[in-house]
Amino acid sequence: MVVDSGVADADRVFHALADATRRDILTRVIRSGMSVSELARLYPMSFAAVQKHVVVLERAALVSKTRRGREQIVRGEVEALRRVARLLDGYERLWRHRAAAIEEILKEEQ
Amino acid sequence: MVVDSGVADADRVFHALADATRRDILTRVIRSGMSVSELARLYPMSFAAVQKHVVVLERAALVSKTRRGREQIVRGEVEALRRVARLLDGYERLWRHRAAAIEEILKEEQ
DNA sequence: CTAACGTACAACCACATGGTTGTAGATTCC
DNA sequence: GGAATCTACAACCATGTGGTTGTACGTTAG
């Protein structure tokens, strides 16, 4: 297992998700693959802007691209998504731990 | 239920999580509340920088502050965290849907 | 072959972000 | 009361981000 720079990974993933356009692209390409220009037609911005959003998602490993003729098909990668979900689960577990401790204290006080 | 500006909420939450220092602060204050200056002593940066990180987490509703004398105690708020986890679950559900569709297609082809 | 299409990338711009220092207001300690 | 502590916030700076346009290159269609 790669231990190195898991921090930067999380940085990239959360940053990639911190933009409504990118989240929308992600939901679409998870449903089914789409070419970059198909995606670009969906948003009120230039092709270049959408292409850059796709690059950000790609760097975060949230999507992958595969060539099909002159098109580049973008697909959602669920692995990174799962890693983030697990991370958030970790946060929540910590919280539950705290909640349990509080309950313990309240019990003792009664 | 508030329907308005759930998008901006997600923006704020993901952006808040897209920084290693802020994620570290979050894990600590979820375990147990800490004052801002206690937090500030933990990181190799100025008090003001840490205070600004706390503000970012607060705007994302990931932490809340309560006064205790001259200190401000920062605590982790789990509600927003859960909302994000649910959002990511939503993404994963979409993916599973796609996986099921692919299986269906493969079955038909055989 | 040539034209149109799909993609990638550089250069540029306005604005946000993450850091700094400095100042000022509450609150507590002695 | 006066000093120390904790917090908040403004001003500033370097860098990053999200958008633009323009250009170049490979692939497909006619």
Side-chain angles (χ1 to χ4, degrees), chain A residues 72-102:
Chain A
Q72 197 87 260
I73 306 299
V74 184
R75 289 194 182 77
E77 283 293 328
V78 89
E79 257 318 300
L81 216 50
R82 249 187 225 150
R83 281 212 313 277
V84 186
R86 245 179 282 145
L87 222 167
L88 290 171
D89 274 357
Y91 286 131
E92 223 188 317
R93 208 170 309 127
L94 285 175
W95 172 78
R96 269 189 247 112
H97 189 277
R98 189 189 70 166
I102 289 170

Side-chain angles (χ1 to χ4, degrees), chain B residues 16-80:
Chain B
L17 292 172
D19 180 282
T21 303
R22 287 194 291 263
R23 286 194 303 274
D24 195 74
I25 291 175
L26 185 56
T27 60
R28 288 177 187 276
V29 301
I30 279 177
R31 282 184 182 283
S32 72
M34 299 177 69
S35 73
V36 181
S37 45
E38 274 178 310
L39 283 170
R41 279 180 222 116
L42 298 171
Y43 305 99
M45 65 186 75
S46 67
F47 171 88
V50 173
Q51 198 259 344
K52 285 210 278 185
H53 280 308
V54 171
V55 168
V56 172
L57 288 166
E58 206 181 359
R59 295 251 159 87
L62 287 168
V63 305
S64 64
K65 286 186 294 195
T66 57
R67 275 223 162 274
R68 190 178 64 187
R70 62 187 161 188
E71 298 179 315
Q72 197 87 260
I73 306 298
V74 184
R75 289 193 182 76
E77 283 294 325
V78 90
E79 258 317 299

